[in-house]
Amino acid sequence: MTTTTFDQQLIDRHCRWFDLNGATPISVGHRRENLRRLAAALPSPLLEATPADLLAWQSALRSGVSRLGTPYKMSTLSTYTSNARAFYAWALEAELIDTDPTKRMAKIKVPAAHAHPVPDRDLKLAIQIAPEPMRTWLVLAAFMGLRAMEIAQLTRDSIDEIEGRLVLSGIGKGRKPFRITVPLHVEPSLRQYMHMRGPLFWTRFGNVMKPATLSKLVGQFFARQGMPYSLHWLRHSFGTAFYASTRDLLLTQDVMRHASPNTTRLYVRTTGVAATKAMDRLSKSLRPPRPARRGLSQVDGETGAAA
């Protein structure tokens, strides 16, 4: 079934509400696209969907394949399901429907995520061979933890110099402003753009760089080097390295601009070696004390010979 004009208007109305509640433009765009796919897959208009319709849609997703011909990841199924739940919860609150048809939908359990930083050797090689502005994108992600959307939005006004140090500011995920002192060794990468006006990064067609385009270009760069990484892997590299340096999860949470330390934990890879060393340190108190060495004043047995 194709999406009706009414369903399109309904989706737009919901997305305006989603936007007013603080969602980022990227999140709003994803929500709109996912709801359009839902509307096209259902046998009836969105507001007439039954619990059976939604269960059938969810089952079809679980057994189907994506546009790339690969099975849907559990995280993707979870996102589609949560978007549908959010839409119908909104429709119920807005009194557009009398009951929520998503209550019987299965809850998708997503396997626990793990940090996947880029290996140091590959990271160093990539930065060494990358042309500009690719090199700067890699550096900002790997050594400041910036996301694609945060890099793409940078303008000359995003960079200030305060008491000899560069400070970078912008709007992060969830429309939260950030202000970060630029590491000393990262400063040269930004200083080369300080002569510009307006946006720092443009496409070869003369358009302002978009986050999706920037991410795609970084992925293509890594692929040309035979490396299976993405820009977001570099954020994992930053989180892992920063935590390894500080051993402070809350501080790592702050610099990564996460709302919860549980999210930060997904970006931090700890090693078995580190765990072993930590346990060795903790277990020192169990080590039996060394026996006291006998001094020259001690007597060996009945002979009276000095020990």
Side-chain angles (χ1 to χ4, degrees):
M1 179 178 176
T2 58
T3 306
T4 66
T5 300
F6 179 76
D7 276 348
Q8 290 177 350
Q9 294 173 345
L10 190 64
I11 292 169
D12 288 342
R13 179 180 169 186
H14 169 76
C15 287
R16 285 195 297 271
W17 169 86
F18 190 38
D19 175 69
L20 289 173
N21 276 269
T24 66
I26 293 177
S27 296
V28 173
H30 288 166
R31 176 71 63 85
R32 177 178 283 107
E33 181 62 24
N34 291 342
L35 290 178
R36 284 175 177 171
R37 292 174 183 168
L38 171 63
L42 291 174
S44 59
L46 282 170
L47 296 184
E48 297 177 17
T50 65
D53 292 335
L54 290 165
L55 278 173
W57 164 76
Q58 192 181 45
S59 297
L61 284 177
R62 297 193 71 167
S63 60
V65 295
S66 69
R67 288 177 294 180
L68 299 177
T70 56
Y72 285 109
K73 295 180 180 179
M74 295 303 289
S75 59
T76 302
L77 295 177
S78 177
T79 298
Y80 286 176
T81 298
S82 64
N83 282 182
R85 289 184 186 278
F87 170 78
Y88 283 104
W90 165 81
L92 183 65
E93 181 69 20
E95 299 182 350
L96 299 175
I97 54 177
D98 295 325
T99 59
D100 185 349
T102 67
K103 287 185 176 181
R104 288 169 50 192
M105 289 175 63
K107 294 183 179 179
I108 305 297
K109 293 184 178 180
V110 180
H114 300 284
H116 41 76
V118 175
D120 288 345
R121 182 177 63 180
D122 288 354
L123 176 57
K124 291 177 181 178
L125 176 60
I127 291 174
Q128 181 180 355
I129 65 178
E132 285 295 338
M134 181 66 63
R135 184 182 186 278
T136 294
W137 299 345
L138 301 183
V139 167
L140 291 176
F143 298 103
M144 293 187 68
L146 265 62
R147 304 175 176 91
M149 60 170 291
E150 295 167 344
I151 297 173
Q153 70 168 310
L154 294 177
T155 69
R156 175 59 186 86
D157 292 337
S158 302
I159 310 172
D160 293 317
E161 187 163 6
I162 301 174
E163 297 181 355
R165 294 295 300 270
L166 295 188
V167 177
L168 198 63
S169 58
I171 303 298
K173 191 174 182 179
R175 296 184 177 178
K176 295 179 180 178
F178 65 85
R179 190 172 179 82
I180 310 172
T181 300
V182 179
L184 289 172
H185 297 291
V186 176
E187 284 195 1
S189 296
L190 285 175
R191 286 191 182 277
Q192 63 185 318
Y193 292 97
M194 291 180 67
H195 67 282
M196 299 179 63
R197 294 182 178 180
L200 300 187
F201 305 119
W202 301 74
T203 69
R204 59 190 179 92
F205 302 108
N207 300 316
V208 177
M209 185 65 66
K210 294 183 178 180
T213 302
L214 192 149
S215 290
K216 181 179 179 180
L217 291 173
V218 173
Q220 291 173 342
F221 166 77
F222 277 127
R224 289 194 297 270
Q225 318 314 320
M227 300 177 181
Y229 313 130
S230 67
L231 181 76
H232 204 65
W233 280 56
L234 299 176
R235 186 164 159 81
H236 285 251
S237 295
F238 172 76
T240 296
F242 189 90
Y243 178 76
S245 176
T246 63
R247 295 294 170 185
D248 188 329
L249 187 63
L250 293 181
L251 184 58
T252 306
Q253 174 192 343
D254 287 343
V255 298
M256 297 194 72
R257 303 174 304 287
H258 285 150
S260 167
N262 292 330
T263 304
T264 306
R265 183 64 184 87
L266 301 179
Y267 286 76
V268 174
R269 172 179 285 182
T270 54
T271 65
V273 174
T276 299
K277 289 182 177 179
M279 288 188 287
D280 284 344
R281 289 193 298 270
L282 291 173
S283 65
K284 280 184 178 180
S285 62
L286 299 177
R287 184 175 57 190
R290 292 181 180 180
R293 294 183 61 187
R294 294 186 296 180
L296 293 177
S297 61
Q298 292 178 304
V299 177
D300 184 14
E302 299 178 355
T303 63

